[in-house]
Each structure stands twice: as structure tokens, then as C-alpha cells.
Amino acid sequence: MIAELGFVALLLAMALSVLQSFFPMIGVVNKNLWLMQTGRPLTLGVFVMLTIGFLCLGYSHAVDDFTVAYVANHSNSELPMQYKISSIWGGHEGSMYLWIYILSGWALAVSIFSKSLPRENLATILAVMGMVTLGFLLFLILTSNPFERILPIPPEDGRDLNPLLQDIGLILHPPMLYMGYVGFSVAFVFAISALISGNLDSAWARWSRPWTNIAWVFMTLGIALGSWWAYYELGWGGWWFWDPVENASFMPWLMGTALIHSLAVTEKRGMFKSWTVLLAIFTFSFSLLGTFLVRSGVLTSVHAFAADPERGYFILALLALTIGGSLTLFAIKAPGLRSRASFTLFSRESFLLINNVLLSVSCFMVLLGTLYPLIFDALGLRKISVGPPFFDFFFTKLMAVLILALAIGPLLKWKKNEYKTLKKFAAIGAVASIALGFIAMYWYGNGEINFAVWLGLSLCFWLGFGILKAFKDNTRNAKSFMGGLKKLAPSFYGMQFAHFGMIITTVGVVMVSNYETEEDIRMAVGEAVQYDEYEFRFEGAYPVIGPNYSAMRGEMLVFRDDEKVVRLSPEKRNYNASGQIMTEADIDAGLMKDLYVSMGEELNSNGDWSVRIHIKPFVRWIWLGTIFMSIGAVLAILDRRYRKTIKVKN
Amino acid sequence: MNRWIYFAPAFLVLAIGGLFLYVMVADIDTKNIPTPLKDKALPEFALPSVHDPDEILRNTNLSDQPYLLNVWATWCITCRVEHPVLYRLAQDEGVKFIGLNYKDSRDEAIDWLAEYNDPFSKNIYDEEGTLGFDLGVTGAPETFFVRGDGTVAYKHVGEIDYDNWNNKLKAIYESL
């Protein structure tokens, strides 16, 4: 009964989204105020219906209603409650439902927080939002209904959630990522409605910026969570694999980052208009592409849990309509957008352009690397996979240039900057960075020369000097340094915070890629081995029973200089329902290094085990940096000018 | 003239969309059209086994019974997903798997099998991918259904899961 109720709510949501797509738009065309104003209640209506449906789906999961096919396929009666709930998005149908639900949530947020927008704009925006929602609701209802029943003979118990997904990181990762993916739809519909109305001014950019930043924060944290999860759950100690679906989330992130910076130019200087619009369209298009790649099965990957050509065709058609339609609109309208302002080669505009070019090229290269096998296949050549070496090669080069420019960009004035003001800083900064980079590398590597580390750390110092210089320049006219700091705008702090996060993440990537070590060791009970500067003492393994698995848990004591550092208890689990074996690594997380131990195989009846030990220096910094970036993006939207527009209208 | 530049993004997207469509259509065809090796014997090869470099496996000494030749590698994430399914099928249904470890490192492959169980009765070590090339392997995982007389009956691209096993592949295996 509850599942049927959910399905009815889903159908009602679709009916309302049909109205949401057309009524406000017709209102704009016919200048009918009443019709224009239907946008907001209809948006609310769609959201409420989808909420009811979502609760019904959640209820079916919570009470183990295995007559519902989706529940039977992705849940199990033994599953702990939090995983029963998260199994809602453990498969295709539920993930798509969550995707649409979040989309309607963003639409509702826009309708609530954009009271200051002109009526016509808001009506157009909500209508376009409605069209996107409608398209995906049709997809859900026609090809992937999560409420479908297995009757007359339902299975006695569910198939279980993939044990890889039974983890706190995976409870949070998909919703976060979807908040980001779908959040970019706001910038997209703002751009589309601006194209339709022909009103692309700096106000449009100012409205878009906070929304884009928030979506970007979710995206950043979502990707970081996924990387962190892969690190401790897959048991290999890797944190990025250039897997097609990872790339699918990374591409909109790169585009979104470019968009954030391009919006700044459009707002402050009224320039790059058509470029910014194009970026807004592309960012959301890459989000949609990500959804398509996961759902269609054109690329096989760890995420391909529901490859189905029917669904693939449907999404491809949906994408063609959305992306093709908006790019055609762009092609027709954009030539009319000319900005009269100009800038010189050495100015903030040109450095933001460098940023945009580098990020777009990176994104394009990731796209190329991801689709390479497909292209070769289609041309009838042998299928080749380019793999991590390809990505690592170009990505490190492009990011190095990006960081080089990143230190300078924020120090420049808009329009035109004199070379001589930065001559001294650039010369001293460059020499000092190279020297400090060398010292840090030499010291950490115990005298070993590693050029990659030297370059990477020098760039980090270089960017650090840039940030310090920015603070110095911006407090120059204040009476005291501290007094000056108080006067700086939140957006300034936001920018510096985010760029500082770049340093942290870069340090993490550089150090862990160059200094990580691992070793497989055979250990008898009571045996101790020396590895790096640590002594690992194996105390044996014993069986433990979890809620839905049985496991062997190893006990490992770690000493340094005869002092106990930590006790690690990695597990090797056997999940009851699926019989799947999982290795649960145990990690001593530290700011400077992680000690990472996972269990291999029991080797004989005496209790000897093969054990894998990893030492991962600075790996935490990769994720720590993303937190700084996110804080930065949030600080930036606390700026007074975003609040002012709302106050004036109120 | 200049106006047409603004259509460039749309054309780019069109091209990519066309590529997807082509691949998807072609993909469906490859599922219906058998591999060129269908009903032909496996190509000749002599490669070492994963566990023992001195043990040479040949097309002639692999098996007298029907088996599934599974192309796998430790760098292949989908293989990691597929792996427990293969193990269960080998354990519970007695399906005979022979591994083709493809463009991989021997040490990592041995570690992986020790860590995640070993469903394979034999495991061919194809470091250079030469056998993979002769078989027309497009990527990992891929599974060849081989009859007792050494001829290929069917090729499955992508992972084996319970859905496609129960709905389709099991019947093919049993008909070998």
C-alpha cells in the first residue's frame, strides 16, 4: 500500500512539473501576471509530492518490504538501520530518485531565496527548472520505477547492499555529490533564462555567484568523500584512480571552478559574458554527462551497477534535448552579447582568462582520456585504455602552470597593472620558493634529490608568498596590520582561504605520490618486524561476529623507539548474504603520516597471516585542503553585496 | 561568418552524442553477433602460469571439460566487483574458471588472489597481452565460454553478475 502511495505521489509530482514547465512561461509570453506567479506554488507542490514519495520509499526500506523489487535487490533484513536507509540510493532507481528529489529541492530554494529577482526572470527560471525535472521524472517513471513490486511470490530476504557501499563514507558521498551535480542546474537555468530574455548584465552574474559557489562546495566535499572512502575501504591505499566515473564527477568540478572565476569577471567588469554563459551550460552538461556515463554502461567501471541500454538511450535523448537545445539557443543569442570594456595583457582579467583556459583544457583532456577507448572503438581501431599515466602526465603539468599564475592573479588590478609593482616580489619570491622547496625536499627525503617534489613544494611556497603579499597589499593603507585585517571583505578572505586549500591539497598529493611505501609481510603470532621507523608486532587474529558478517580480526601493536604508538585491528570480513569478502583496513591517521594495515590471507593452521603495511605521508592533506577550499567558497558568498540586493527589495 | 563560431560548442556536443549513440548501437550488435572466434579453436599459445613461472600453459593442455576463460587484472576495478561472484559460482555451482591475467604484474596478481580468494583452477600469465591480442580482448573483464574440445562458444564483455548469469550466461554454460 505504502509503495503504491509513493508511486501516486511520483505521478502527481510529474503532473505538477508539467504545469510548472508551461504556466509561468506562457505567463511571460502573454504578460499574464497570474500565470507568472504560479511558478512558486507549483515548485513547492512538486517538492512536497517528491518528499511524500521519498518517505514512502524510505519506509519500504526501513520495514524490509521485500515485495518491492528495489528493496529486495538492494537491502537485507540483517542490515543495520543506517544502511537500510542509505540503501535507498544504493542502486540505480533510488539514486535517480534522489537526484530528482534534490533537483526539486534546489528549485524550491531558488523560488524562496530569489524574491529580489524580476518577476519575468523568476518565472522563466522556474519554468526551465520544471522542464529539467519533468524530463528526469519521465525517465524515472518510464524506465526505472523504484516502487515496482515482485508479485505474487516475493523473495524471503533481500539480496543485500553491496558491502563496498556499507560504510559511513558511502552513506554521505552520493547525496553530497548529487547536491553538487544538481546544484549546477541553478547556474544553468539562470544562464538559459538570461539568454531567453537577452538580459545578460552584471546583476545576472551577481545572482548566479552564490548558487554556483554552494553547488561547488557540495561537489568539492562529495568528491573528497569519495576519494577518502576509496582510500580506506578498497584496501589498496589509493586515493584517486582516474576511473571513468570519478572523471565524470571531476569534469563538472573543473568546469564549475572555471565558472566561479569567470562569473567574477562578468560581475565586476561586465566582460566574458558569452564565455560565462557557455561555461554555465557546460558545467551542468558535464553533470548530466556524469549521470549518463554511470547509467548507460557505455563505459565499464566500479560504479556501473545498472547498465541497461534502454535507459542509456532514454538518457542520451534527454541529454541531446537539454544540452543541444541550450547550445543552439546560445549560438543564436550569444553573438549579440558584446562587451565594450577592454583590458591589457598584464591585468587581473587576463590572469582569470589563463585560469579559465587551463581549467577548460584540463577538463577537455580528462574528457578525451575518458572517451579515448570509445573513440578508438568507433573508428574500428583496437581498443586501448590510456590509464593513469596519461592523466598524471598532462594534469601535473597543467596544474603546475595554474599554480604559477594563481600566485600572481589576485595581486593584479583590474584592467591594467604596471609590471614594475610586481618585479621585486616576483624575483625574490621565485628565488625564495625554489630555495625553500629544495630545503624542504632535502630535509624530508634525508638528502635524496627528487625533482618532482622539489618543483611541487616550490610551487606551494610560491603560492604561499602570493597569499602573504595579497594580505600585505590589502592592509597597506590601514593604521595597523590587525586593523586592516578586520576591514577586509569576506570575499577576500574566501578567495585566500580557497587558494590556501590549493596549497594544502598540492602538498598532500606531491608528498604521498613520491614518498608512500608499502610492503607485504608474512607474520607469525607474536612475531615483530621493523618497517620504516616502526616496529609492527602481530598478536594474532581471532574471529568476530558483526551484525551481518563474520570476520577475522588481526591485532597489531605498533612501536617506535620501544614506545607504543597505536594498536591496529584490521579485519577480513565475510558478508553473510552475498558471501562477499571485504578487507577492512585499520589506519592510524596522522597529520604527517598514516599507518595503514590490512589483512591478506591466513597462511597456515598456526595462525600465520600475510599482512600488508602502507605508510602514507601527508595523505590527510589532500582532503584537508578541500575543506579549506569549501570554507573559502562559503566565506565568499557572505559578502555584503549579496545581502544588500535582498535587503533593498525587502 | 563569425556567427557560425557560436555553433561550434553545439557541433562538438553533437559529435560526442553521435559517438555515444554509435557505441551503444554497436554494443548491442556485439551482444548478438558472436566473436570471430565462435566455433573456432582457441589460438595457439604457450604462456607461464601466474603462480609458477616454470609451468607453461598451452592451448592444448588447459582442460578437457568446458570452462570459462576470464580475462582479469588487478588494475581493473570492475574485476574487483566481479571477483566474489566468480568465486561463489565456482564454489556453489562448480563452474570451472580459468583465469587470463592480462597486462598485469605477477606479484600483485598473486597478492590479489591471496587476499580475495581464488576462483580459478588455472591462471595464465599474459604480461604482454599477446594472447589477449589474439583473442581480440577489448578490455577487462571479459569472459570466453570454451567447450571441452577447445572451441569458443560465446564471449561475454563486461562483468558477470547474478542477473546476467541467471538470465542468460548460465544456460550458455550448461549447453557447452
Side-chain angles (χ1 to χ4, degrees), chain A residues 234 236 289 292 298 301-302 304 312-313 327 331-332 334-335 374 378 382-383 520 572 578 580-581 583 601 612, chain B residues 3 6-7 9 13 19-25 28 77-78 81 84 88 111 114-117 133 137-138 159:
Chain A
L234 289 180
W236 309 326
L289 179 73
F292 169 73
V298 289
S301 95
V302 64
Y313 287 125
L327 285 177
I332 295 166
L374 290 187
R382 292 209 57 77
K383 196 163 192 171
D520 289 307
K572 189 159 180 158
S578 57
Q580 196 160 341
I581 305 276
T583 51
E601 189 76 1
R612 178 174 290 182
Chain B
R3 287 184 71 95
Y6 289 90
F7 280 96
V13 167
L19 175 70
F20 285 142
L21 189 65
Y22 179 81
V23 169
M24 284 165 68
V25 173
I28 281 169
I77 300 180
T78 312
V81 174
R88 291 276 32 124
D111 284 348
E115 199 164 340
Y116 300 124
N117 291 331
F133 186 91
V137 166
T138 55
E159 71 195 282

Side-chain angles (χ1 to χ4, degrees), chain A residues 418-434:
Chain A
E418 297 294 334
Y419 287 99
K420 65 175 181 230
T421 55
L422 279 171
K423 233 186 206 164
K424 205 171 103 193
F425 164 78
I428 298 175
V431 173
S433 314
I434 293 171

